[in-house]
Amino acid sequence: MAVLQMQRISICALKKDRKSILETLQRRGVVEISDLALQDSVFEKADTSAVRSQFEKDLSAVNQALEVLDAYSPVKSSLLSSLEGRGPLTADEYAAFGERADDVLAQALRLNALSKKIAENRAEILKLETQLDALVPWLGLDVPLRFTGTRSTAAFIGSFPEDLSLDEVYSRIAGQAPDATVNVDLVSHSQDQTCVFIVAPRAEAAAVDEALRAIGFTRPASPPAESPAERKKLLEAETVRANEAIEAARMEIVSRGGDRPDLKLLADYLRLRAEKYDVIGRLMQSRRAFILSGYVTARNARPLSEELSSKFDVAVELTAPGPDEDVPVVLKNNPFSTPVESVVESYSLPGRHEIDPTTIMSFFYYILFGMMLSDAGYGLVMTIACAVVILKYKNMEPGIGKMVKMFFWCGLSTTFWGFMFGSFFGDAVAVISSTFFHSDLALRPIWFEPVSEPIRLLTFSFLIGIIHLFVGLGLKFYQYAREGKYYDAVCDVVFWYLLVGGGIVYLLTMPMITEMLGIPFQLPPIAATVAAWCALAGLVGIILTGGRDSKNPFARLAQGLYSAYNVTGYLSDILSYSRLLALGLATGVIAQVFNKMGSMAGGGIVGAIMFIVVFLIGHTLNIGINLLGAYVHTNRLQFVEFFGKFYEGGGRAFTPFAAHTKYYKFKEEI
C-alpha cells in the first residue's frame, strides 16, 4: 500500500546528444517531462509543430494502409489473440528500421493508391450501370439519340412521362397541331414512360416541337453520339475494363500481405517520432545545449542518472518536489492487491496527502465479490480460466493482465463462499444424483445455506458492511494523525465511532432487534447504558464541532446539527450491504431453477441430453449476468460507502515520456 515517492529531475546536455538522450528516455519510460518557461535570452523553445504534423500525417497513411490489408488480405486470429500482447523489439532493430522507413512508407502509399483506384473504379462501374439502365428503353432505336433529322425532315426523339398507346400519341399531337403531318414510331413503353421516335416535315418542325412540349414531351439529357446498341457495347466494354482494374489492384494488395509486419513497425516508429518531436518542442534549447526537467520515481532516479552520466556528457540534478508542486502519482502494491489498482484508478488516484487505499480495499473487494457470486462451480470456472490465461499468455498488456488476475482472486473467493454456503452450480450435485442415480447425495454447506436462512446471511452482510465502513473511518483517522491533525481526527472520526458504534451496540441489547436478525445472543442492560452514553457523547461532540470552521456561533451550531443528521447516511450505507444477500440469493436461486428445468425430462438418454443442454446454456447465462452484477455492485460499495468515509482522490496520473507503441514493445528495461 504505497504511493511511490517522486523526485524532480533536471537534465542539461549537449545538443548533439539530444537525439540519443531522448530515445533512451523514451525507451526507459520513467520520466514525465514538464514544460519549462525560462526567461532567458540564450535558451528558447523550438517550433516542431510542422515536423510533428508530418509524422502524424504519415502515421495516418500507414494506419489506412493496414486497414486496406485487413479488408483485402485479412489475418485469421483467435478470440484470445488480444491476450498475446505486443511483439518484442530491440533498440538495434528499431535503429536499423529507421534506415528503410521511407521505403516502407512508399509501400503504404502504394496500398492506399490501390485502394483509391478500386474505389474510383467501383464508382465508375455504378455510373456505367446507371447509363446502361437509361439505354434499355432505347435499344430498339437504330439511330443515335441526338439525331435531329435530315435536310427535309425533322426528327424528335424523346419520351412522355406516362404509358401511352400509339393512337393516344397521335391524338394528343393532333389536338395541339391539327394541321401538322407527323410519323410516330413507338420505341418502348412502360408504366412510367413512353419512348417515341417522331418524324415531321422540316417546314412544320416548329409547330410540332411546340405541340410536343405542350403534351409533356422531353428529350434525353446528354444523348451520346452512338446509337443505343453501339453505346451499350461501349459501356459494357468500359465496365469490363473497370472490373479488370479492380481485380488487378485487389490481387496486388493481396500479394502485399507480407508487408503487414513492416507497416506495423512503421506505425510504431512514426508514433515514437511524433511523440519525440512533441517533447523537443517543450525543451529549452540554445545553439549547443538543451535543458530538460520532469519527474521520476525515486527508485528509478539514481539508476537513470548513472546510466545517462556513463553514456553522455550530461549534468543530472535530482531534487525533492516542492510542497505546492502538482506531483504525479504512481501506485505500488503487492501481487495480491495490484490487480485492483485499476479499480482505484477508475475512481481517482490518491491526492498529495492521501494514502493508497488499494491494499486494504483489495481484501474487502475479493470478499464482497465472492459473497455476491457465491457459487463454488462458478468460482472454479473463473479461477481455472484465469489461471490458464495467466500461464499461457505471459506477454499480456499490463491493463488486461491486472483484470485477469483480479478475476482470478475473485474466483478463489467465489469458490470459498460457494463451499461455505453449499452451492456448486446451484444444487447440481443433488439434482444429478437424485435424477440419474436415484441417490440422495448432495453438497452440504460448511456453514449454512442462504436460501434456507436468508436472515442469517442478511445479518452477516450487515456485519461485513459495518466492519468495512469502520475501517474506512479508521483510515481517515490515520490520515489526520499522519498530518498532525489530531483534533480533526477526534471530531470527524472518534465522535462518529462513538455515535454509530454506540447506536449499534444499543440495538443489540433490544430483544426485538436480536430476534428479528436471528442473533443468538443479547447484550446485558449495562451494555445498553454504556452504549447510550457513548452515542450521546458522540452526538454532542458532532453537534459542537461539526461547524468548527465557522466563526459565527449560531452558524457553527446549525452546521453541527446538519453534520449530526448524517447519521442517517450511515444507516443507509449499512443497509446498502443487503445487496450481498440479494445478489447471492439471485445467483443460487437462478442456478437451481435451471437445474430443475434440465431435470424435467427425468433420467435416461433423452433426459441426460436435455439436462446437459439446459445446464450449459442456463449456467453460462447465469454466470455471465451475475458476474457482471457482482463486479458492478462491488465497485459501487467501494466507491460510495467505503471511499466516502475517507477518500477524496484528485491525484494526477504519472504520464512518462515512453514508447507508446501499439504493435511492438522494447525488450530492455531500466
Side-chain angles (χ1 to χ4, degrees):
M1 182 177 72
V3 176
L4 291 183
Q5 182 182 356
M6 284 285 173
Q7 286 190 304
R8 176 167 280 282
I9 183 171
S10 299
I11 299 173
C12 182
L14 297 176
K15 202 168 183 179
K16 67 182 181 66
D17 295 327
R18 185 186 67 185
K19 177 178 182 294
S20 300
I21 290 175
L22 289 180
E23 288 182 353
T24 299
L25 294 178
Q26 190 173 33
R27 290 196 301 271
R28 297 294 181 262
V30 296
V31 178
E32 180 184 282
I33 296 177
S34 305
D35 287 328
L36 288 175
L38 296 178
Q39 299 296 326
D40 196 295
S41 59
V42 177
F43 288 91
E44 60 182 9
K45 291 185 178 181
D47 184 8
T48 61
S49 58
V51 180
R52 190 175 68 252
S53 296
Q54 184 59 48
F55 282 128
E56 292 172 349
K57 179 181 178 182
D58 292 342
L59 175 59
S60 177
V62 174
N63 288 332
Q64 182 181 348
L66 287 169
E67 292 175 359
V68 171
L69 281 181
D70 290 339
Y72 293 96
S73 181
V75 176
K76 294 182 179 179
S77 59
S78 65
L79 294 175
L80 300 178
S81 60
S82 60
L83 301 175
E84 295 174 356
R86 294 169 292 170
L89 179 69
T90 65
D92 293 338
E93 291 171 340
Y94 175 78
F97 180 80
E99 299 178 358
R100 58 189 186 92
D102 290 341
D103 295 335
V104 180
L105 179 60
Q107 296 172 9
L109 296 177
R110 175 58 181 167
L111 284 170
N112 293 339
L114 291 170
S115 176
K116 182 180 180 181
K117 184 177 182 181
I118 291 175
E120 290 174 346
N121 279 282
R122 284 177 175 169
E124 181 66 19
I125 289 174
L126 290 176
K127 185 171 70 173
L128 294 172
E129 290 175 347
T130 301
Q131 294 180 27
L132 283 170
D133 291 340
L135 282 177
V136 171
W138 300 102
L139 291 178
L141 187 66
D142 55 2
V143 296
L145 291 175
R146 64 172 62 177
F147 178 72
T148 58
T150 64
R151 180 180 301 178
S152 59
T153 62
F156 301 89
I157 301 175
S159 61
F160 297 102
E162 55 185 318
D163 188 5
L164 299 175
S165 65
L166 187 60
D167 291 339
E168 288 175 327
V169 174
Y170 272 114
S171 63
R172 291 192 180 189
I173 295 175
Q176 297 293 328
D179 298 328
T181 303
V182 297
N183 180 68
V184 180
D185 287 333
L186 210 61
V187 180
S188 68
H189 66 97
S190 64
Q191 184 177 356
D192 299 325
Q193 69 174 358
T194 301
C195 299
V196 296
F197 175 64
I198 302 174
V199 179
R202 177 66 65 181
E204 300 177 6
V208 173
D209 183 54
E210 184 178 351
L212 290 175
R213 290 178 184 275
I215 60 177
F217 179 81
T218 57
R219 298 178 183 272
S222 303
E226 305 84 11
S227 67
E230 293 173 343
R231 182 62 179 170
K232 179 184 177 184
K233 292 180 180 180
L234 292 175
L235 294 177
E236 288 176 343
E238 291 180 15
T239 302
V240 170
R241 285 194 294 270
N243 280 315
E244 290 174 349
I246 290 174
E247 182 61 19
R250 189 190 69 81
M251 292 300 295
E252 184 175 349
I253 292 174
V254 172
S255 69
R256 292 176 175 267
D259 296 342
R260 184 180 277 106
D262 282 346
L263 291 173
K264 289 183 176 180
L265 184 51
L266 178 61
D268 284 344
Y269 175 83
L270 293 171
R271 190 174 288 108
L272 295 183
R273 296 293 301 277
E275 291 180 359
K276 187 177 76 172
Y277 272 88
D278 177 62
V279 170
I280 291 175
R282 296 157 61 189
L283 304 179
M284 298 303 297
Q285 305 179 72
S286 67
R287 290 181 60 189
R288 300 183 182 275
F290 72 93
I291 298 174
L292 176 151
S293 182
Y295 295 100
V296 60
T297 58
R299 65 175 183 170
N300 289 327
R302 186 59 56 189
L304 179 64
S305 175
E306 293 175 354
E307 180 184 10
L308 294 176
S309 299
S310 65
K311 293 181 178 180
F312 311 103
D313 292 328
V314 61
V316 180
E317 181 183 25
L318 299 172
T319 58
D324 298 328
E325 289 189 48
D326 184 19
V327 181
V329 176
V330 179
L331 304 181
K332 178 63 177 178
N333 290 280
N334 57 66
F336 178 77
S337 302
T338 296
V340 296
E341 285 180 351
S342 58
V343 177
V344 177
E345 292 167 357
S346 66
Y347 181 82
S348 183
L349 287 168
R352 181 77 186 269
H353 302 291
E354 287 187 313
I355 64 171
D356 174 16
T358 304
T359 297
I360 293 177
M361 189 203 76
S362 63
F363 289 95
F364 286 104
Y365 194 94
Y366 298 140
I367 290 172
L368 297 176
F369 189 101
M371 287 186 64
M372 289 186 190
L373 200 54
S374 64
D375 186 278
Y378 296 170
L380 287 174
V381 169
M382 289 174 57
T383 304
I384 294 172
C386 292
V388 169
V389 170
I390 292 170
L391 294 174
K392 184 176 180 180
Y393 301 97
K394 298 182 181 297
N395 195 37
M396 282 187 294
E397 294 301 310
I400 298 178
K402 283 184 179 180
M403 183 67 70
V404 174
K405 291 174 182 177
M406 183 187 78
F407 281 113
F408 171 80
W409 291 111
C410 289
L412 288 178
S413 176
T414 301
T415 303
F416 169 79
W417 289 110
F419 283 121
M420 293 295 289
F421 296 149
S423 179
F424 187 87
F425 293 105
D427 57 349
V429 175
V431 171
I432 292 173
S433 62
S434 62
T435 303
F436 299 101
F437 301 101
H438 306 291
S439 170
D440 59 354
L441 178 66
L443 179 66
R444 305 300 177 187
I446 297 176
W447 189 12
F448 70 94
E449 187 178 12
V451 176
S452 303
E453 301 179 73
I455 298 300
R456 190 175 182 181
L457 179 57
L458 179 63
T459 303
F460 182 67
S461 300
F462 288 156
L463 174 62
I464 292 291
I466 292 169
I467 295 173
H468 198 202
L469 297 177
F470 276 24
V471 169
L473 275 176
L475 292 176
K476 187 174 185 177
F477 184 94
Y478 172 75
Q479 289 185 163
Y480 277 144
R482 191 175 64 165
E483 299 174 27
K485 300 179 179 179
Y486 298 104
Y487 180 67
D488 291 333
V490 172
C491 297
D492 294 341
V493 178
V494 175
F495 287 154
W496 281 106
Y497 270 138
L498 291 174
L499 176 57
V500 179
I504 292 172
V505 172
Y506 186 83
L507 290 175
L508 294 179
T509 65
M510 302 172 62
M512 180 183 69
I513 298 297
T514 55
E515 291 176 6
M516 181 177 64
L517 296 179
I519 299 175
F521 63 87
Q522 180 181 331
L523 297 179
I526 185 64
T529 303
V530 174
W533 281 107
C534 288
L536 180 61
L539 178 62
V540 173
I542 291 170
I543 293 174
L544 295 178
T545 63
R548 60 187 179 276
D549 294 334
S550 177
K551 295 181 179 179
N552 187 311
F554 296 102
R556 186 162 57 246
L557 179 62
Q559 291 179 17
L561 290 171
Y562 181 78
S563 298
Y565 180 74
N566 193 40
V567 70
T568 58
Y570 277 86
L571 176 60
S572 65
D573 287 344
I574 294 172
L575 292 176
S576 291
Y577 289 84
S578 61
R579 69 189 67 236
L580 298 176
L581 165 70
L583 271 74
L585 285 181
T587 303
V589 170
I590 294 174
Q592 291 181 15
V593 169
F594 282 122
N595 292 335
K596 186 67 175 177
M597 291 172 58
S599 64
M600 292 176 66
I605 301 218
V606 175
I609 294 174
M610 178 177 174
F611 183 85
I612 291 172
V613 172
V614 174
F615 184 90
L616 292 176
I617 296 176
H619 287 286
T620 299
L621 293 173
N622 195 28
I623 191 174
I625 294 172
N626 285 287
L627 188 149
L628 177 61
Y631 174 74
V632 170
H633 288 283
T634 302
N635 285 354
R636 195 262 184 201
L637 289 175
Q638 306 298 333
F639 294 163
V640 179
E641 279 71 26
F642 186 57
F643 285 171
K645 298 297 172 285
F646 72 98
Y647 190 65
E648 294 183 1
R652 180 173 63 84
F654 181 59
T655 54
F657 173 49
H660 297 118
T661 54
K662 183 177 181 180
Y663 303 105
Y664 296 91
K665 64 180 177 181
F666 289 102
K667 291 180 181 179
E668 56 184 349
E669 295 181 355
I670 191 168

